Amino acid sequence: MQNYKLLNPKKLGTIPLKNAVVMAPMTRCRAIANIPNDLMRTYYEQRSGAGLIITEGTSPSPNGLGYARIPGMFSQKQIEGWKKTTVAVHQAGSKIFVQLMHTGRISHPLNMPQSSRIFAPSPIQAAGQMWTDAKQLQDFIVPQEMTAEDIWQTKAEFVNAAKNAIEAGFDGVELHGANGYLLEQFISPVSNIRKDHFGGSIKNRCRFVIDVVTAVAEAIGKEKTGIRLSPYGTASDMPHYPEIEDTYDYLSKQLNDLDIAYIHLVDHSGMGAPKVPLSIKQLIRNNFKNALILCGNYNLESAEAEIQSGLADLIAFGRPFINNPDLVYRFEHNWPLSTELNMDLFYSAGEKGYTDYPAHAESPVLAG
């Protein structure tokens, strides 16, 4: 069989990985009461053939719990819950980063603790709806505009969550700056119309993101800090704007200066969004000297081509990991991938459509 670079050992900075396959972060909504549990541990353990696992979006604050049943990283119960997963994944020989995701305006009060607030850079309502267990689909609401104190406090919550992640046994954290959540809400001039030094110019709109990345890297180590970006993404009501390329040119240069472990660039064109132009991937590749993870509708051959070309250091796979818990073993042995995928159960509460997908008959992974 061909010797794929994708399947050979790789280093993410100083962190050794058994291969260059990344399990992409995917919201799965199994954290009852926002606390990671044994079912989630099983799910990640099954998929620990990946060199690096990046968890589902995990809120650094009660204010960031926009979706039903997503986990947090701000309480001791959540830290203890996540330890079950990190121990299991490490015993299987993989590394694991937690994705810290503050949803900002992509939220609904019915999914939130009573004392929490839904805020954003500007009081602009997102188009669309949010699932709530109490009343099913509900329109997004108009968020409160963040004050200077809110901005300072939210940065502090990201830092505290990052420290909690290390206590929970994670190898690092990925800051979610993509998909229309709080960090990207600051980046975009569509969702950010502030008149202070966090809005207006490209430099100002990127300021909060850079501040958070800087603070987290100082708290846990730059080699343990990554960020996910989605230029040209349209998720969560993120329309295009003329200076997208200039924005990510500036942002990637600033991230390079901070010397963080990686940028994770996601392209959702496989799910109907506009394609991220090759030019912007190359731009970020040229601006950023550390690892670049690319994600978006890859198969084994196209992933290997990106690695061989030097455009990417690691390749992230999302949906193929849902119904192929042994995805890496299937790649290694040229076994066919499962095509059975129950999308109706992506965000449900139980094991069905989560930990019950079968592994290949010859696979060492215990699944299904």
Side-chain angles (χ1 to χ4, degrees), residues 66 107-114 116 118 130 132 138-141:
S107 184
H108 193 276
L110 292 175
N111 290 337
M112 310 286 283
Q114 283 191 345
S116 63
I118 296 175
M130 168 66 71
T132 70
Q138 296 290 308
D139 290 344
F140 292 120
I141 69 167

Side-chain angles (χ1 to χ4, degrees), residues 75-295:
S75 76
Q76 195 60 41
K77 284 186 177 180
Q78 291 164 344
I79 294 171
E80 296 304 318
W82 273 123
K83 282 181 180 178
K84 299 175 183 179
T85 290
T86 60
V87 167
V89 169
H90 286 150
Q91 287 177 342
S94 295
K95 304 298 182 183
I96 182 166
F97 275 42
V98 65
Q99 186 191 69
L100 296 181
M101 176 183 77
H102 192 304
T103 56
R105 67 179 187 166
I106 304 303
S107 184
H108 193 276
L110 292 175
N111 290 337
M112 310 286 283
Q114 283 191 345
S115 60
S116 63
R117 297 163 53 215
I118 296 175
F119 52 46
S122 301
I124 300 174
Q125 181 180 9
Q129 294 183 310
M130 168 66 71
W131 173 266
T132 70
D133 287 339
K135 294 188 177 180
Q136 300 189 338
L137 288 173
Q138 296 290 308
D139 290 344
F140 292 120
I141 69 167
V142 178
Q144 299 174 32
E145 181 173 306
M146 294 173 75
T147 65
E149 183 179 354
D150 292 333
I151 290 173
W152 180 89
Q153 180 63 36
T154 302
K155 181 177 74 170
E157 290 170 344
F158 271 106
V159 170
N160 185 62
K163 292 177 179 178
N164 288 345
I166 301 305
E167 181 182 341
F170 284 98
D171 298 290
V173 306
E174 175 178 283
L175 298 167
H176 200 344
N179 295 12
Y181 300 125
L182 185 66
L183 294 182
E184 191 183 9
Q185 289 163 29
F186 272 91
I187 295 171
S188 171
V190 178
S191 50
N192 180 357
I193 58 171
R194 300 176 72 93
K195 303 300 183 185
D196 61 6
H197 66 301
F198 287 101
S201 68
I202 288 173
K203 181 178 179 179
N204 283 356
R205 287 186 279 106
C206 291
R207 189 184 305 277
F208 180 62
V209 176
I210 297 300
D211 284 355
V212 170
V213 174
T214 300
V216 167
E218 288 176 351
I220 66 169
K222 60 189 180 182
E223 73 283 358
K224 297 179 181 179
T225 305
I227 189 169
R228 196 180 213 211
L229 303 174
S230 58
Y232 290 87
T234 57
S236 303
D237 192 25
M238 283 282 117
H240 290 178
Y241 50 95
E243 62 269 38
I244 288 178
E245 189 159 326
D246 289 341
T247 299
Y248 285 90
D249 182 26
Y250 172 80
L251 182 56
S252 56
K253 287 175 180 175
Q254 296 298 306
L255 294 169
N256 183 66
D257 290 344
L258 294 174
D259 198 28
I260 60 172
Y262 69 78
I263 290 176
H264 181 183
L265 194 63
V266 59
D267 182 331
H268 283 140
S269 57
M271 295 188 290
K275 191 173 182 63
V276 177
L278 178 60
S279 60
I280 203 163
K281 295 178 183 179
Q282 292 171 330
L283 177 74
I284 292 173
R285 169 84 282 179
N286 291 336
N287 287 346
F288 187 76
K289 67 179 181 292
N290 291 338
L292 179 61
I293 303 173
L294 293 183
C295 180

